[in-house]
Amino acid sequence: MNVEARLKELVGDAAGRLHTARSRNDQVATDFRLWIRDEIDSLDGGLKAFQRALVARASAHAATVMPGFTHLQTAQPVTFGHHLLAYVEMASRDRARFAAARRTVNENALGSAALAGTSFAIDRDQTSRELGFSGAMRNSLDGVSARDFALEFLSACAIMCTHLSRLAEEIVLWSSPQFRFIQLSDAFSTGSSIMPQKRNPDAAELVRAKCARVTGDLMTLLGVMKGLPLAYAKDMQEDKQAVFDAADCAALSLAAMTGMVEDLQANEVAMRRAAGDGYSTATDIADWIVRVLKKPFREAHHATGRIVAMAEQRKCRLEDLSLGELQSVEPGITADIHSVMTLDASVASRTSFGGTAPAQVHEQVRYWQEQLK
């Protein structure tokens, strides 16, 4: 109405025709769709930059050995590059979700008027073309009352932020003195007000918190919409606050995580040392027994468990056990088993498609470099 009033100052009473065949209901719904469409395009560009940063780091650390975890317990050695590429895959699915949300949002509500359409001979196909929509919505009630496009956008934001939060949590862990896997510069960490030795990963911690806000925004709009009859109700004005907040948080979190990936410095020595702890090559011993001695895996598993118990009792690493000690558990073991007990041998052996072997990591890096051109 402010636009109409200003237009009247400029052109006179003809400005009153501006609202012909229109309602605030369909105009707001249309503007909201246009706004979300632009945000999706912006976030997709941010996700692509995030992927490129991860791929660049993965390429540099395709052979950097680190512990892989399950239950946050040392499981098997992997490469840092392989670990980072997991987030590239997540971001790819995030982009697919935003692309699907864009298709949902890219329909034209203009012409639905208040709820029933209009008696004026308007051309909804023309406005759809002018505004870049794929077409006009087929039901005027749905045109003014649908907010599933906003929910779909919020859902994609929440899932993306959940992925970012998982990486943020890992950065918090990795940068701690207990891990020392990475170090962030002062651009993404701060000192303590009283403890001069501290370097707090504040940016990563804030990304974790932003994720909670975005998830809350999704829950807010779901709660608003679940009890509304058709068509428009004033409750629906609450959609803006949730969507605008989620978009801001998502964009900021994405930019921060991209910056942290580009900024972090990997401590390869600490990663390798940690990968050697926790008997992470135990599975390689079991696999060797199956492959060479033709034993059932369950039997090999039990034998390897006794070997690990022996190493724990001796307070040594698996590769430090003598051949005689290994044969006391499984007489068929030969000196060849030592060839699979090193960290490098372990990761190099995981050559299955999508595995952690450096050769596979390089192959996946090449794939993503091509996809992200």
Side-chain angles (χ1 to χ4, degrees), residues 24-347:
R24 283 178 300 183
N25 294 354
D26 65 341
Q27 289 183 86
V28 167
T30 302
D31 287 343
F32 200 24
R33 286 173 177 271
L34 291 169
W35 190 91
I36 290 177
R37 190 177 71 185
D38 287 345
E39 286 298 303
I40 288 173
D41 292 343
S42 178
L43 286 169
D44 183 72
L47 278 164
K48 189 173 184 178
F50 177 56
Q51 287 180 295
R52 284 173 168 166
L54 288 165
V55 169
R57 282 290 180 193
S59 179
H61 292 283
T64 299
V65 176
M66 68 174 289
F69 299 97
T70 59
H71 311 277
L72 204 55
Q73 304 294 313
T74 300
Q76 292 177 285
V78 297
T79 65
F80 189 40
H82 185 62
H83 194 114
L84 294 175
L85 286 176
Y87 287 100
V88 178
E89 299 286 342
M90 295 179 210
S92 177
R93 294 191 295 274
D94 289 328
R95 294 180 69 187
R97 273 181 284 271
F98 279 118
R102 196 186 193 284
R103 289 191 292 272
T104 300
V105 79
N106 200 36
E107 293 183 328
N108 184 17
L110 197 62
S112 299
L115 76 161
T118 178
S119 59
F120 291 97
I122 60 175
D123 187 344
R124 296 188 67 202
D125 290 332
Q126 180 183 352
T127 57
S128 297
R129 288 191 300 270
E130 294 287 344
L131 296 173
F133 286 115
S134 60
M137 298 185 72
R138 292 179 176 275
N139 185 285
S140 59
L141 285 168
D142 185 45
V144 298
S145 65
R147 289 298 184 271
D148 54 348
F149 64 90
L151 289 169
E152 194 169 346
F153 172 71
L154 287 174
S155 178
C157 286
I159 294 171
M160 180 194 76
C161 286
T162 298
H163 290 155
L164 297 178
S165 183
R166 295 184 74 181
L167 179 55
E169 169 64 8
E170 294 200 302
I171 287 176
V172 171
L173 290 173
W174 292 344
S175 62
S176 70
Q178 289 71 31
F179 279 77
R180 297 189 186 278
F181 285 3
I182 65 166
Q183 182 172 322
L184 294 172
S185 74
D186 291 343
F188 292 95
S189 58
T190 62
S192 165
S193 61
I194 65 171
M195 294 170 283
Q197 83 283 5
K198 295 286 293 302
R199 186 188 289 267
N200 301 323
D202 286 1
E205 292 169 352
L206 289 169
V207 167
R208 288 187 310 194
K210 294 292 186 186
C211 176
R213 278 180 59 174
V214 174
T215 302
D217 290 328
L218 171 60
M219 294 301 105
T220 295
L221 189 52
L222 282 169
V224 167
M225 296 304 299
K226 71 171 182 60
L228 297 186
L230 298 180
Y232 181 80
K234 200 66 173 177
D235 312 49
M236 291 166 63
Q237 74 176 13
E238 295 298 315
D239 57 5
K240 312 303 181 302
Q241 184 176 25
V243 169
F244 294 167
D245 181 67
D248 287 345
C249 289
L252 182 60
S253 298
L254 188 54
M257 289 307 305
T258 302
M260 276 184 276
V261 170
E262 293 171 340
D263 178 79
L264 66 85
Q265 296 298 314
N267 185 341
E268 298 182 22
V269 174
M271 287 184 178
R272 175 174 283 271
R273 184 186 303 116
D277 296 334
Y279 310 108
S280 63
T281 58
T283 305
D284 298 278
I285 295 175
D287 289 347
W288 185 93
I289 292 173
V290 170
R291 188 169 54 252
V292 177
L293 302 184
K294 310 302 181 185
K295 301 281 188 178
F297 182 80
R298 190 55 52 203
E299 185 177 330
H301 185 278
H302 291 321
T304 303
R306 294 196 296 272
I307 290 172
V308 170
M310 181 186 295
E312 289 177 332
Q313 185 179 8
R314 303 279 198 281
K315 294 183 171 24
C316 68
R317 298 190 176 193
L318 293 174
E319 59 265 36
D320 296 329
L321 293 172
S322 68
L323 180 59
E325 288 172 321
L326 295 172
Q327 289 176 333
S328 70
V329 174
E330 172 51 64
I333 290 177
T334 67
D336 179 64
I337 199 172
H338 286 286
S339 66
V340 303
M341 294 169 68
T342 66
L343 295 173
D344 291 321
S346 177
V347 297

